[in-house]
Amino acid sequence: MADVVVLGGNGFIGAHVVDRLVVDGHRVAVFGRPRSAPPRYRSADVTVIEGDFANTADLRAAVRGAEIVIHLLSTTTPASAEADASVDVRTNVIQSIALLESCVEAAVGHVYFASTGGAIYGSQGRSSYAETDPTEPVSPYAIGKLAIEGYLRYFHAVAGLRSTALRISNPYGPGQQSHRRQGFIPIALRAILEGRPMTRYGDGSMVRDYLYVEDLADMFSVLVRRVPERFVYNLGSGLGVTVDEVIDALRRVCDMPFTVEDRPTPVTFVDRVVLDSTRFRSEFGDLELTALDEGIRRTLHAMRAEPRG
């Protein structure tokens, strides 16, 4: 029987987290819909629990006997949630409530939830954001994430369910699916590899906090290994990088010409997001992070190695 169940363990972040937890010695189960393609995680010693996030009975069966549940599953992206906000509420928020109710029934020891560290703080004009800063999301995706955080607090208050919300910055790296319209770096790399112009929103001054996905998996490893003291943690690099600085890094790493196509910035985009991860570092120590150029280089190498169908 698995001691850790990862919902969304075959996704971009999830696959890296699963591999890291297996290396750490955990018995890991991955919950998700049946797939015909090979799993994205590399570890062979993983239990597969086939089920539908929309089916409450499947959720109850998935978490039964688990000590730790890691909730990485999302049925929407920022773009798809903006296209239809009600879908995010119906498929993410409501079903996350069903998941938490199932965890209470199963006496799960701890739930870790992948929230968002970008849009959840909104556009407040701060140089960086700490967990104690106000949350002012304006996008449906971030509003949904904050609502789920609220239900984590609710189920802790009424049922004693221990949980931790992880506000993750802008992860990137091997395995990120550029076709999902989420992730500036993989989308740009895919365009460059295919000889198309890459898209730049705005004038290039927009700032993001980019975190290499394997560094993020290391952070999950530390959090699972030792019970966190606080409810919410920012997980980011703490470094602000402009869009134009990313483009410069792409030119250095790719070493091939490409053009940039400018488009207006969507109204729900936040101008500047840098996460203050002092809380995580003070509790768990500093982790060595991958430099942007090296992370892009590894991502490019992985994309070039992908089979083309």
Side-chain angles (χ1 to χ4, degrees):
M1 182 180 293
D3 62 303
V4 181
V5 174
V6 184
L7 287 83
N10 204 30
F12 164 52
I13 295 174
H16 291 274
V17 170
V18 165
D19 284 333
R20 181 54 203 266
L21 293 177
V22 171
V23 169
D24 289 345
H26 291 283
R27 293 167 296 145
V28 180
V30 170
F31 171 84
R33 288 180 176 176
R35 286 179 176 266
S36 58
R40 296 177 186 172
Y41 48 84
R42 299 185 300 271
S43 303
D45 191 18
V46 173
T47 301
V48 176
I49 304 174
E50 294 184 349
D52 190 341
F53 187 58
N55 187 314
T56 301
D58 287 352
L59 295 179
R60 287 179 181 143
V63 302
R64 191 174 298 124
E67 174 59 27
I68 295 170
V69 169
I70 300 179
H71 181 12
L72 300 173
L73 197 153
S74 179
T75 61
T76 62
T77 66
S80 66
E82 189 167 338
D84 188 345
S86 68
V87 169
D88 192 68
V89 174
R90 287 185 279 110
T91 63
N92 270 332
V93 177
I94 291 178
Q95 285 310 110
S96 291
I97 294 171
L99 170 65
L100 296 177
E101 289 173 337
S102 299
C103 288
V104 170
E105 292 173 7
V108 168
H110 205 107
V111 175
Y112 293 85
F113 168 61
S115 187
T116 175
I120 205 166
Y121 292 108
S123 296
Q124 302 181 53
R126 299 172 188 264
S127 59
S128 65
Y129 293 91
E131 297 88 346
T132 52
D133 288 327
T135 49
E136 299 179 1
V138 294
S139 69
Y141 182 79
I143 292 169
K145 292 286 192 182
L146 185 58
I148 295 170
E149 286 189 16
Y151 281 105
L152 290 173
R153 295 181 187 275
Y154 167 75
F155 282 105
H156 178 262
V158 301
L161 179 65
R162 294 186 301 171
S163 59
T164 304
L166 305 173
R167 294 177 180 168
I168 302 167
S169 62
N170 288 75
Y172 73 99
Q176 195 167 14
Q177 303 298 299
S178 55
H179 67 272
R180 295 197 74 198
R181 297 171 61 198
Q182 183 177 13
F184 175 56
I185 289 175
I187 291 173
L189 283 173
R190 178 58 63 199
I192 293 168
L193 288 173
E194 294 178 355
R196 297 182 286 106
M198 60 152 291
T199 300
R200 181 181 75 168
Y201 290 102
D203 62 2
S205 63
M206 193 160 44
V207 174
R208 291 292 181 268
D209 182 336
Y210 292 97
L211 180 64
Y212 188 60
V213 67
E214 291 185 5
D215 297 337
L216 176 58
D218 289 343
M219 293 176 175
F220 268 88
S221 169
V222 172
L223 284 155
V224 170
R225 191 182 317 136
R226 202 173 87 201
V227 177
E229 297 175 0
R230 312 293 288 271
F231 168 69
V232 61
Y233 293 85
N234 285 341
L235 301 184
S237 71
L239 301 174
V241 181
T242 68
V243 169
D244 279 349
E245 287 172 335
V246 174
I247 293 174
D248 289 342
L250 290 168
R251 293 192 190 280
R252 289 192 300 270
V253 173
C254 294
D255 194 25
M256 56 192 296
F258 62 86
T259 58
V260 178
E261 183 179 273
D262 288 336
R263 294 184 185 177
T265 305
V267 295
T268 55
F269 274 33
V270 177
D271 183 61
R272 178 184 177 88
V273 176
V274 180
L275 298 186
D276 181 344
S277 298
T278 301
R279 175 178 290 183
F280 176 87
R281 295 197 311 272
S282 63
E283 186 172 335
F284 300 102
D286 288 321
L287 299 179
E288 185 175 350
L289 300 181
T290 304
L292 182 64
D293 279 31
E294 177 59 24
I296 292 176
R297 185 173 293 108
R298 295 180 193 176
T299 306
L300 176 63
H301 177 76
M303 292 179 77
R304 281 175 166 159
E306 291 174 356
R308 304 305 298 274

